[in-house]
Every structure is written in C-alpha cells, then in structure tokens.
Amino acid sequence: INAETWGYKELASKMDRSKLEDLKQQATQRPSREVTDQVLAKNIDWNTHSRNGLISSDAAQLLASFDREKRNKNAQQSLLTERGPDIAGAFVEVLDRVTSDSSTVQYTLTVLEELFRDDRRTLNLFTTENLHAADKLFRLLRSTDSYTVDRAIYVLSALLSSDSADVSLVGDLLTQLTSWNSNSAGCIYAVINGLMNILQVDKFRPLFVSHNGIKFLLPFFKTNGRDLHLMYEIIFCFWLLSYNEECAIEFGRYPIVNSIVDLLKTSVREKVVRVSLAMFKNLLNRNETVEQMVDRGLVKVLEAFAKRKWKDEELGDDLGTIKDTLHKNIRILTSFERYQKELQVGQLEWSFVHSEKFWKENVMRFEENDFKVLRQLIALLSSDDAKTVAVACFDIGEFSRFHPQGKIVLQRLGAKLKVMQLMAHGDKEVAKQALFCVQKLVVGQYEVASK
C-alpha cells in the first residue's frame, strides 16, 4: 500500500514514501492486542439477528459469508471486491439496529477497525448513502464501555478522514476528542489515534487548532512523558500540523518545540527521534521556531545524536540539515529578549532572567508600549502550568520592588488581586511565591518583610 492509499497524498510528494509508511506503521501500534483477538474470535449468529427483525436476511447472509472467511484474508478481500458496498451497508445495518447486544457491537466495530487499518481503500466502500453510519457511531461514543468507545473513535475518525467529509461532523468529533479527561470512557491512545486520522486531511488541521487541540496535547508531555509510545503519537500529530502554514504559525505561540526538545534530552528511542526531526525540518523556514530550537539547546542534543549509529540513514541526513541551519541562526540574545521570548511561548522556567540582577538592570524596559510585557506577565498568572505561575508571581514581586511606581502600576493592572487569590493555590510552590509577592506588594521595603 503506497502513501496515497494511506491518505497522505500531499505528504507523499514531500517526503520519502517508505519513510512515511514506516512512520505510519509505528504510530498505529496498539496495546490490548490480546483483547482484540478475543473479540474477533467470537462467533456472531447473524441469522438470529435477522429472525428478530434487526437486520435483513440479505445482510445476515453477507455477514455470515464474510465471517466464514475470517481466517482467510485473501478470500475476504475477494468478497470485498465483489460485494464491498453491500457488505459495508450490512455493517451499517448492524450499527444502526443491533444496539442492545454489546458483543455484536464490539465485534462489528473491531472488524471495521481491522479492515480500515489493513487497507484504507476499504473506506471507499462507505458511500455517501451509508455514511449515515457516522450518526450511529456518535451515539456509541456515549457508551460506558471503554472498549466500544475506543473502537468507535477509530472507525468514526477513519470514515471522516477525507476531503469530502462533512466539516460539521469533523468539528463535533474534535470537540469530543479534545474534551477527553482521565474520567472519560475510552483510553487516551484511542483519542490520539482518532486525531491522527483527522489530521491526515490538511483542511482539518486549522479546525483542530481552533478546537484548542494544541492546548489539549501539550500537558501530556508532563503527565505522560515516560510513555514513549504515547509521546511518539502526539509528536506525530504535531508533525502533521507542521505541513500546514496556518498551523505552523502556532508553533511560535506555544511551547511545542520546547517540550519536544526536553523530551529528546532524555529519550533516544529512534522512532521518537525520527518523527521529531521530521517535524523540526518542516519548521526550519520559521525564524521564531528556529530561535526556540537554539534557545532550548537543540544543537547540543543533535551533536550527541550525531555520534550514535541509527538504523535509518535518512535520520542522519535530517540531523545534518537541521544542525547546519541552527548553527547559521545562532546569535547572542540580550537577557530582555530572552525574557520576551519566554512570555511569547507562555512557559516560564527558573533561570537567570528571573533574578534580582535581571530586574535591577531591566525593570524600566517594562514601561515600553504601555507596559505590554508586564501585561503579558500578569496574564500568565492564569496559566495551567504551576511552574509558570510560580515564576510569574516572583517576577511581579520583583517589578514591585525595583520599579519606582511598581505597586501603583500593578494595582492599576489588577495584578495584586490575582496574586492574593493564588496564595490559596493547591500547588505549594505557587502558594509560597504568591505569599512572597504579596509581601513585596504591601510592605514598603521587601527587606523589612523578609526580616
């Protein structure tokens, strides 16, 4: 199956097809194969469903014939060639009408998922007429059975992964997928696989961004950073986004590059390195992301990677290309420029730009453009990242100390009330830094308070 068959027509012309296929194959590995095999081993009595009036006799005969060849993939493929649309219609009948038999629903979803994964051309059997299966699959997403939800996510996202798919349906699915949390039915692997399917279509990539897709994915680098399979699939999603010019702009607004570079500092799993470099390579024409790569220390990471032996020769070529480009773009940034870049990314780290020395030297620069940088700093008090909030509290306190009118300016911009509320924050470091900041805001001399 070539790259076009997988649905990556535009990407096939931009990168080596065998490399694309390998990436796709690695990305769709799944846990719970044993459970899947157990479901596929079930013998469904289609005739009983027909006698009960749930499906037509023709559908029952077709599905029974298809099942008899479950151990013979070639025979099944012949049936699909001869009666493909009819078989697809029979499966839609099952999803539409057999709602109370969980075993049959699980089996049907699993068969469809296996067919779609083995050969995406099977998706073409689902014509416009029987794509009303999407409505039935949305209903299954509300199931309390995790296995059913996982399979329904994949099948639905695969059916919608074409240029002709209904944009409103895709938007509805993205809303559900990007609202996933640890209390949701279904596992995160299924959710990410669903996103990977949707992001194959270029016109749906900006739609994903507008549904807060980037904000949804980023936290997993911190909460699941040791799960390299999940990290691979998430980076795969970002790699797909990097092909879209509109989405590529977002890489300069979020700490995507920072998160991936940090991961590469601790992980040398080849497939993770490979897809990360493919993404970085796509972003080399964007100054802001190149500067992020340099500032985050990617050059040193690449130099370490260059000393290793990799199975994929192309990986070595990408290493050289990226390293050469970064070396050409290295320049010495002033401390204030570095500070501004941290704010633009929206992620603050304890470093030399968050120190007394920095604030003594740069505090008056925060007046520029009607305190634009200070306003950005105050906005980060609402960040979901605890470290960022803690550092922001420290910095606001330092501005109060060293700016002649610091306390008045911060009062006018609403910073004082926000910081006071953070003293009750659940994170101990945030609460501590908020307390110190309030002391600086309300005491004439911070040194008095500290004593």
Side-chain angles (χ1 to χ4, degrees), residues 411-424:
Q411 179 77 23
R412 177 166 60 87
L413 297 179
K416 183 177 178 180
L417 179 59
K418 290 183 178 181
V419 174
M420 291 181 71
Q421 292 172 338
L422 290 171
M423 289 193 294

Side-chain angles (χ1 to χ4, degrees), residues 267-398:
S267 169
V268 291
R269 183 76 64 85
E270 182 157 337
K271 69 177 185 178
V272 175
V273 173
R274 187 182 188 190
V275 73
S276 298
L277 295 184
M279 187 204 77
F280 290 146
K281 189 175 179 181
N282 286 348
L283 299 170
L284 290 179
N285 62 337
R286 310 201 66 84
N287 291 334
E288 63 273 26
T289 49
V290 168
E291 289 180 359
Q292 286 178 18
M293 294 177 206
V294 172
D295 290 346
R296 205 63 176 184
L298 181 58
V299 173
K300 288 186 177 180
V301 173
L302 297 181
E303 288 172 349
F305 285 168
K307 298 175 183 177
R308 298 176 60 90
K309 288 186 177 181
W310 304 96
K311 295 179 182 178
D312 179 12
E313 293 181 2
E314 231 178 290
L315 189 153
D317 295 337
D318 286 351
L319 270 172
T321 300
I322 298 169
K323 188 154 64 77
D324 290 345
T325 302
L326 296 187
H327 274 299
K328 293 175 184 176
N329 285 272
I330 290 177
R331 70 183 183 91
I332 304 299
L333 298 178
T334 67
S335 57
F336 190 69
E337 287 177 321
R338 289 184 180 276
Y339 191 90
Q340 287 178 298
K341 288 191 176 299
E342 278 197 29
L343 290 181
Q344 289 170 5
V345 173
Q347 187 177 46
L348 304 183
E349 301 278 350
W350 292 112
S351 66
F352 73 91
V353 295
H354 306 285
S355 64
E356 180 177 297
K357 181 177 184 296
F358 168 83
W359 282 98
K360 283 181 178 179
E361 296 174 352
N362 294 280
V363 69
M364 300 310 296
R365 298 208 53 185
F366 284 75
E367 292 186 353
E368 297 172 4
N369 299 314
D370 190 26
F371 296 96
K372 178 182 177 180
V373 175
L374 182 62
R375 293 173 189 273
Q376 290 176 314
L377 175 62
I378 294 171
L380 289 182
L381 292 174
S382 302
S383 171
D384 295 329
D385 180 59
K387 183 188 290 185
T388 294
V389 177
V391 177
C393 286
F394 172 82
D395 284 356
I396 289 171
E398 293 299 271

